[in-house]
Structure formats: C-alpha cells, structure tokens
Amino acid sequence: MSLLTFSGGIHPYDGKDLSKDKMICEYLPKGDCVYPLSQHIGAPAVPLVKKGDRVLVGEKIAEAGGFVSANIHSGVSGTVKTIEPRMTAGGTKVNSIVIENDGEFEEVDFRENIKPLDRMYREDVKEAIKEAGIVGMGGAGFPTHVKLSPKNEDAIDTIIVNGAECEPYLTSDYRRMVEIPEKIVKGLQIVINLFDHAKGIIAIEDNKPDAIKKLTDLTKDIDNITVNPVKTKYPQGAERQLIYANTGRKINSSMLPADAGCIVHNIDTIVAIYNAIIEGRPLFERIVTVTGDAVEDTANFRVRLGTNVQELIDAVGGFNIEDPGKIISGGPMMGKAMFSLDVPIVKGSSALLCFREDIVSASEPSNCIRCGRCVEVCPGRVMPNKLALLASNGDMEGFIKYDGMECCECGCCSYVCPAKRHLTQIIAGTRKQILADKKK
Amino acid sequence: MEQTMKISSSPHIRDKETTANIMGQVIVALMPATIFGIYNFGIKAFITILITVISCVVFEACYQKNMGQKVTVKDLSAVLTGLLLALNLPPDVPFWLPVLGSFFAIIVVKQLFGGLGQNFMNPALGARCFLLISFTGRMTAFTYDAVTTATPLASLKAGESVDVMSMFLGTTAGTIGETSAVALLIGGLFLLATGIINYRIPVFYLGSFAVFILLYGLAQGRGIDISFLMAHLFGGGLMLGAFFMATDYVTSPITPNGRILFGILLGVLTFLFRIFGGSAEGVSYAIIIGNLLVPLIERITVPKAFGKGAVKHE
C-alpha cells in the first residue's frame, strides 16, 4: 500500500535520535515566571491580577480579550511582581505579567472544575476548553474554542489529530504518543462528540512505528477513530497537506480546514483538552524538546508556562560550546532564531534547538541557476524562484497572479536551493506586506 | 546577558547541494564521453579540450575582474561550458578556434546578458553555432584515423549504409564528445540517478524524435525501420544534446509540464532539421531555438497552486 501523502516536500536530516528516547520529565521553574499577554492569535488577554497579588498554580491571571483570544493561567504560586513589556522568543517586547515564584507550587483545587462528562452539554465542553485557555500548541496558537465553533457544524466530518511531527529534531509529540496514548484517544473522543457526523483520524508519520502501534492497538475497538500512518516527509504535518493526505480534499489559503469538513489539532492540544475536561486542569504546562548539538544533554521536559528559557538550557547541563551559533525556538524549518535566552516558554514553544554552527550565515547566496528544485519541492505547487524574483522587483500584482499568497512559508524552497538563496524569507516578507496593505 | 547569537529568518537548515557541486557532478557525468573522445581521436582532442576549458575560465575571471564583480569561477560553470564546447568541436581544429568559441560562449552569450543564470541560450551551443556559421569548413571537416570521412549521419543522409554498432560504441567520425552513444548514456543515467537532471526533457525529446523517425519510415513505405531509427538515435549530437545540452538548467523550462513540452518541441525540430534540412545534423539548432522559446513555454505551463479552485465541502 502506498502511504498517504502529498506532492512535493523534502527529506532533511531529522535529528530525532538525539532526544526521541528521553522520557518526558517534569521541570519546575526556580526563578520568576513571565506570561506574555499575547501568546495566541487574536486580541491580547486582559490582566486579572495586579502588582502584589498572590496567585496559585492554575489560577487565571489574564482573561481573553475577545472571542478570538485566550485566558492565561499561572504555572507557579507566588506574587505578581510587575506587569510590563518583556522580550519574547519572537524578538518583540510584549506586555507581560511577571510572577515571583515562591517555589511552593501551591495549586488551586482543580476538582472544583471537574464535571462528569455525561452531564456536560456540548456548549459546556467548549466553554471549559475556552476557560482552560487552550490554543493550538503546534506553534500558531489559534484559540481552540474558536476552531471548535465553525459556522457550519454539520459539515464537520473529520477530526484530524496531527501526530506527524514532521519538523526535524522535535520529539515532544512523539513522547506524548508513546507515553500517554490513552489520554490522546480520550481527548479525541471528547472533540468527536462535539459534532454529529465526525470521525477521528490520528495521523502519524511512519518513522514512528511504536507510536502507530500503540495508538492502533488502543483504538482497534473504537469504530469512529482510525490511525493513519502517513509518509515521513516534511511538511507532512502542515495543515493543508495533512488534510489532503488523509481525506483527498484540498483547501487554499483563503479557506479554513472547516471548509474541507475538517478540524486539525496538534497532539499537545488534544492532551490539553483531556486535562481540562477530565482533570479540571487549565493549560499551564507543555512539552518542550531541548535538543541540538550545542547542548550537553537533550531532554523532553514537561515545563510550566512562563519558565525562563535559560533555566531549561541549564537543566540539560548548559552549552557544550562557549558561543553556540544559533538557538531556535521551535523546529529548524519554521522555528524562530532567538537573540536572547532571557525569554519565557509560552503556549506555542515546542522546542529549544541549539546549533553549534549557523549554517545559514555560513552560506552565501549566489545567482539562481534555474535548476527547478524549489518548484519540485514546493507543497503549495507554486514557483518560488519566480515569486522571489517578482517580490524583489516589487511587482505585487505579478506576485499575486503567480499565486504567491498560496505559500505556506514551510521553508522547503530555501532548504533545497543550491544557490542558497533566501527564497522563503523574500516570499514571506512580501506576503506579510500584501496582507498588511489589504487591512488598510 | 552577553551572548552573540545569530538570528535569521527560517528555515535554519540547508541542503548540502551547492551550485559548484551540481556543476561538478555534470562534469563527472561527461567523463566517460570525454575519455572516450581522447581515446578515439588521440592527443589532439585532449589539447583541444584543455584549451577550451582554460580559455573559458580565463575569459570569465578576466571579465568579472574588469567589471569589478566577484570572480565566481569556483562555481565550475565556466569549466562545464568549456568542456561542453570542446566536446562539440571536431578533433582537428586550429587552436585559435576553441579560444574564439570560448570568448563567444562566456563573454557574448553568458556575461553580457548578466552572467550565470541570466543567459537566454546555452553558451556552449551558442558558441558552436557561431563557429558553425562563421567557419563552416573547419567545423565540418571530420577526419577519422587520419582519413577525411563523412560522419555516419552525413552518410545516412546520402543514402549510404552505416554500421549502427560502431555508432553505439563511438568508433566513428564526429565531434570529440558526440560519437559514443554508450559513453553518453552512462553519463546521462548517472545524472538521472543522482537527481541532477529530471527525466522529462531527455525522455520526451528522444521519445518524440523516435516517434517521428518511425512515422517517416512508414510514410516512405519502409515499414518499421529499426536500424534507421537506431542510426538516428546514436548518430550525431542527439545523445549529447538530450542529456547534457537540452537539460541545461538556465536555458530549459523550470515547470514540470514545460519540460515535457520543451522535450517534444526539440524532438520535432531535430526531426525536421535532420530529415528536411540542408545539413545532416540538427540537434544544436533545435536546442538553440528551443532555448529562445523557454519564456513562452514557461508562461503557458505555470503549475496550478495547491487547492486552487477548491470548493467547500458540505
């Protein structure tokens, strides 16, 4: 049987061996925790606490600033030190609540949040998910309760759990799947039951056979859940490509997954839904893979949100080189390079990837030789070389005409370019500009 | 915190393949044909190759230096152009001829249009055609074993019989690198296997050419004439052209469907030139004309973006 997949894509060195066998272990922060009020797509959250207030683990410290927004909960107990702009991994300063950690980790009583599932209406479940501050944890940070409230609920027939984890080096979703598969299945069932006609698919790249086996065994008696092995290829876990591989339906940049009858959730998002509904625990922790060739050891940490990145680096024994070339928040294909380690872990922080050498600054762009590799690998089926040329000529009309807006910024074109041209960067920058112009 | 970390836009990893690497692999793929050419035609062929390669590199370096540009001869593209041009020259040429050809290839066709990636026709082929038109006598005087002879294709055109086996092996008259179909096929398969070239252009080029040759045989009442087909496939510059010239990145379409169209176009043109043209050979001109049509071919073969025209699922 040929595996489910899409056209295009690349096979970079996956680096997963570095950390894939490291059991998830809890890391409790020692220092202050910082909570940016904007760590999701949509309106910033509004603080509910003020300087000097004492807060507990799991206490809501900021409230959604609109429907498309999300609550924020503290991961530590302690005192609110200040609310001020702080640096984030993305390199911008964001207004943040800073909590002085008292090291007690005194929790609110989560049992109060728990209601028997069979006595919850669908709206109650969605409300509980909203209350728990859950957002898409693959990195984009789209509020989950919004995703679960599509315009036409009857059209939703497929809930896809994204276990592809196609970004090289990342192993957090893999660890979740092999360590707590039953919570993933239960979490998925909660989501499936929100819709009348939905079935569930857990899509996993075939380089994770043990995860596929565990989840297949667990779901063999569940009629409405199937486990789909998908081909190991980047970007198999990109939303549009994943939907196509599993359902044969295509959507473009101006459509939502719901337009293909699908809702796609990241593994950690599903676990967060389980924690919120079954255990009454809001979102205040996540799994972060600390890896790369520049750290002494690697780890898959269960980390409290707000934890300082430097602490996690120290927790694996620090760097094995005085001057690491590059530290990336997230994976190597779509993650963000950081210039400071004094930033907090947020809901979308999937990994800290530390490279001894920065391969990008070591390679200098030269002339395009029109080899066509970018066209061949582009999962969006556009012509990156042409788009980059139009973009650098400032030809916005041409850029749109050649479907530049269909680019998902996956990075495949820059990766394969033998002339080392920064195709993704040029195209992404132009897309951003066009989107900004549209809003005016 | 005192840390000097580099930041840049994603992605943060890059494939190992570089321009120089690719050019190097094409040069390696040309080695069987090059070595056979030297074996077949002797030391003179070796000297011609050396002169062409060196003058291409020197012209490129001098031009870039004088224009205040970065000298990029390390990307091996000038070496490759030189080698391809040499393989397209008869073994017995005066030494000034390859130098003049190199000048035309590197300066006129490549650098004056903006350097690597900007030329609108294949530099080596452009130079060959320039020499062919300017010095027709010298460019079509073929000797083999010190005897002036016609190339197999010319014999074929004159209605004489040819030995297909020696054409396959390459022990015939012709340009330095074009005679041995088997040596070129080995190189071509290497390029296909390593993914340096895509199958579309050579397959559709050779395929469409073969179809038309067979149809021509049928129309002439000779039935399915396999030996005529083989002589045409192994003769002249077809193998060299199909695997190494038509697939030149810069001057061939970048779109998948464009490559198919380009291949078919070359097959048709080569057929027309060889059968109905004045000269026995037609590959070089077919590819040059194809090169000129590349922008148009690309325009009509823009791939359909993923999800374009998708309809909502109800």
Side-chain angles (χ1 to χ4, degrees), chain B residues 142-166:
Chain B
F142 294 102
T143 55
Y144 192 64
D145 286 344
V147 185
T148 306
T149 49
T151 62
L153 267 193
S155 307
L156 195 70
K157 190 157 180 114
E160 297 159 22
S161 70
V162 290
D163 178 7
V164 171
M165 198 50 182
S166 66

Side-chain angles (χ1 to χ4, degrees), chain A residues 259 326 332 335 370 415 420, chain B residues 8 12 15 116 250 252 298 313:
Chain A
D259 293 330
K326 201 177 234 178
R370 292 172 37 85
Y415 174 81
K420 311 297 163 198
Chain B
S8 64
H12 306 289
D15 193 23
L116 182 65
V250 177
S252 65
E298 280 189 357
H313 175 78

Side-chain angles (χ1 to χ4, degrees), chain B residues 1-163:
Chain B
M1 186 181 321
E2 268 321 295
Q3 232 148 4
T4 51
M5 293 188 296
K6 295 186 181 77
I7 54 165
S8 64
S9 184
S10 62
H12 306 289
I13 48 176
R14 293 289 189 274
D15 193 23
K16 286 193 185 73
E17 202 80 278
T18 62
T19 302
N21 211 328
I22 292 170
M23 299 292 168
Q25 288 183 72
V26 180
I27 291 168
V28 168
L30 280 169
M31 280 304 120
T34 307
I35 292 165
F36 182 82
I38 295 167
Y39 158 80
N40 202 28
F41 298 112
I43 188 77
K44 192 128 199 308
F46 177 71
I47 295 170
T48 303
I49 292 169
L50 213 59
I51 290 176
T52 324
V53 170
I54 291 172
S55 39
C56 275
V57 172
V58 169
F59 280 129
E60 178 148 296
C62 287
Y63 178 90
Q64 290 179 324
K65 197 134 207 163
N66 280 309
M67 287 294 163
Q69 297 171 356
K70 196 179 157 213
V71 177
T72 59
V73 292
K74 272 194 199 155
D75 68 20
L76 298 181
S77 67
V79 176
L80 180 56
T81 298
L83 182 58
L84 280 172
L85 175 57
L87 297 184
N88 272 294
L89 296 175
D92 258 328
V93 286
F95 292 146
W96 54 265
L97 196 96
V99 177
L100 185 65
S102 301
F103 176 84
F104 191 83
I106 294 294
I107 304 296
V108 178
V109 181
K110 187 178 176 189
Q111 293 299 343
L112 288 185
F113 283 89
L116 182 65
Q118 304 295 320
N119 45 291
F120 64 96
M121 62 165 88
N122 185 314
L125 273 187
R128 186 201 186 185
C129 293
F130 160 74
L131 295 174
L132 211 49
I133 295 167
S134 311
F135 309 98
T136 314
R138 291 192 194 275
M139 286 292 288
T140 52
F142 294 102
T143 55
Y144 192 64
D145 286 344
V147 185
T148 306
T149 49
T151 62
L153 267 193
S155 307
L156 195 70
K157 190 157 180 114
E160 297 159 22
S161 70
V162 290
D163 178 7

Side-chain angles (χ1 to χ4, degrees), chain A residues 376-410:
Chain A
E376 253 163 64
V377 299
C378 179
R381 308 273 89 187
V382 295
M383 296 168 69
N385 71 317
K386 180 89 187 168
L387 291 173
L389 184 69
L390 291 164
S392 45
N393 288 345
D395 182 355
M396 300 295 165
E397 260 172 56
F399 185 86
I400 293 168
K401 190 172 151 251
Y402 277 89
D403 290 319
M405 301 314 281
E406 296 304 315
C407 165
C408 67
E409 304 175 14
C410 65

Side-chain angles (χ1 to χ4, degrees), chain A residues 23 52 74 94 121 136 145 154 163 193 205 229 231 335 360 377 380 389 391 393:
Chain A
M23 289 275 288
S74 176
V94 176
Y121 289 109
H145 65 272
D154 280 343
N193 289 334
E205 276 191 352
K231 193 171 170 185
V360 175
V377 299
L389 184 69
N393 288 345

Side-chain angles (χ1 to χ4, degrees), chain A residues 221-297:
Chain A
D221 296 324
I222 304 173
D223 288 340
N224 60 358
I225 295 182
T226 45
V227 175
N228 277 353
V230 290
K231 193 171 170 185
T232 303
K233 181 166 77 169
Y234 179 86
Q236 185 63 70
E239 203 163 55
R240 284 181 237 169
Q241 276 64 37
L242 194 68
I243 290 172
Y244 175 69
N246 284 285
T247 67
R249 299 173 194 158
K250 287 185 178 182
I251 54 169
N252 56 47
S253 65
S254 56
M255 296 164 84
L256 292 171
D259 293 330
C262 294
I263 291 177
V264 183
H265 285 304
N266 177 265
I267 291 282
D268 226 12
T269 312
I270 290 289
V271 174
I273 290 172
Y274 172 91
N275 286 341
I277 303 298
I278 307 297
E279 296 181 355
R281 297 159 70 88
L283 178 62
F284 59 81
E285 56 185 13
R286 68 155 298 135
I287 310 297
V288 179
T289 303
V290 183
T291 186
D293 59 4
V295 276
E296 284 291 347
D297 197 8

